[in-house]
């Protein structure tokens, strides 16, 4: 079985509201190894720490650093799992990813579309990564799930870039989604309802349950070449609840990567 390349990005400089996601990668690793749970995913695969080619956690200063280290880490051509960090990291990760895999389809699960052309004067804000990714044509399809905060500008951006949007209020349309090509998954933890995942910077009620996110991941039948889990903010968590949700989703994504690739 192919190993999964694992990297953590200790970076939250592009968070617009609160800092904290830079603390997430070591926290998720330690909760993944918590004796309170085992390593079995729901598909029956055991995802032990040895399943990963773990490159460690990286302190970075700019998105150029993130692109460079991601490119170094994925030369092996194994599937890539990245722990963030705020959502701004996805743009440089995808830039590097594109150099190895070309333009793949991307499933973006989030309360927010993150399609601002510019946010508070910053084109690289965590509110902008998918505008950068789309204008540089780094991916093929962008499929957004769980969105519930579209502004007029972001609705225009969504149309301009041909985003396939499954807003939270239209989740019943999700079964119509057809995947044909390998995918990358970008999972912003605030896609979940704050009742399930309070440890995020932006509490956006009316979101996905943990089970709904699991169902979305488990329904993917095409290869998963890469994924990231971003925006977990341990400083806002309660009894590591959100951290354990991250660990669970991490295990389920890794098991799907192993199963489908
Ligand atoms: Mn986001
Ligand atoms: Mn978000």
């Amino acid at each position: 079985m192919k190993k999964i390349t694992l990297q953590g990005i200790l970076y939250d400089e592009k968070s617009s509201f609160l800092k904290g996601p830079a603390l997430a990668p070591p926290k998720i690793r330690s909760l993944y190894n918590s004796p309170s749970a085992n390593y079995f995913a729901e598909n029956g695969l055991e995802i032990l720490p040895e399943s990963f080619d773990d490159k460690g956690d990286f302190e970075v200063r700019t998105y150029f650093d993130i692109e460079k280290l991601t490119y170094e880490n994925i030369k092996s051509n194994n599937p890539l799992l990245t722990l963030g960090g705020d959502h701004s990291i996805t743009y440089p990760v995808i830039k590097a990813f594109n150099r190895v895999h070309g333009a793949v389809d991307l499933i973006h699960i989030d309360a927010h579309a993150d399609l601002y052309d510019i946010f508070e004067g910053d084109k690289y804000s965590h509110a902008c990564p998918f505008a950068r990714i789309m204008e540089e044509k780094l991916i093929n399809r962008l499929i957004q799930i769980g969105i519930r905060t579209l502004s007029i500008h972001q609705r225009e951006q969504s149309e301009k870039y041909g985003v396939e949007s499954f807003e939270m209020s239209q989740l019943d349309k999700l079964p119509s989604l057809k995947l044909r090509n390998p995918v990358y998954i970008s999972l912003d933890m605030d896609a979940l309802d704050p009742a399930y995942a309070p440890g995020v910077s932006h509490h956006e009620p009316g979101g996905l349950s943990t089970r709904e996110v699991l169902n979305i991941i488990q329904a993917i039948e095409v290869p998963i070449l890469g994924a990231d889990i971003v925006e977990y903010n341990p400083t806002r968590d309660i009894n590591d609840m959100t951290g354990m949700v991250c660990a669970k989703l991490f295990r389920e994504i890794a098991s799907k990567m192993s199963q489908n690739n």
Side-chain angles (χ1 to χ4, degrees), residues 87 107-111 145 185-188 191 208 213 216-217:
H87 217 156
I107 299 173
H108 169 208
I109 307 171
D110 200 329
I145 304 172
I185 302 169
S186 185
L187 173 59
D188 181 326
L208 296 160
V213 178
I216 292 165
I217 294 165

Side-chain angles (χ1 to χ4, degrees), residues 145-147 166-175 208 212 216:
I145 304 172
I147 314 299
F166 296 87
E167 288 183 65
M168 201 61 216
S169 58
Q170 316 157 334
L171 212 61
D172 56 324
K173 298 199 179 101
L174 203 50
L208 296 160
E212 284 172 320
I216 292 165

Side-chain angles (χ1 to χ4, degrees), residues 12 15 62 81 94 104 121 152 199 224:
D12 58 13
S15 299
T62 71
L81 233 166
I94 290 293
V104 299
I152 293 169
I224 302 170

Side-chain angles (χ1 to χ4, degrees), residues 87 108-114 126 149 188-191 200 202 204 230-231:
H87 217 156
H108 169 208
I109 307 171
D110 200 329
H112 312 94
D114 296 346
H126 72 158
T149 57
D188 181 326
M189 288 301 293
D190 67 30
V200 295
H202 303 262
E204 198 58 57
V230 297
E231 295 285 343

Side-chain angles (χ1 to χ4, degrees), residues 4 16 36 109 125 190 196 240 257:
I4 295 168
S16 56
S36 82
I109 307 171
S125 161
D190 67 30
Y196 296 89
D240 295 336
M257 280 178 159

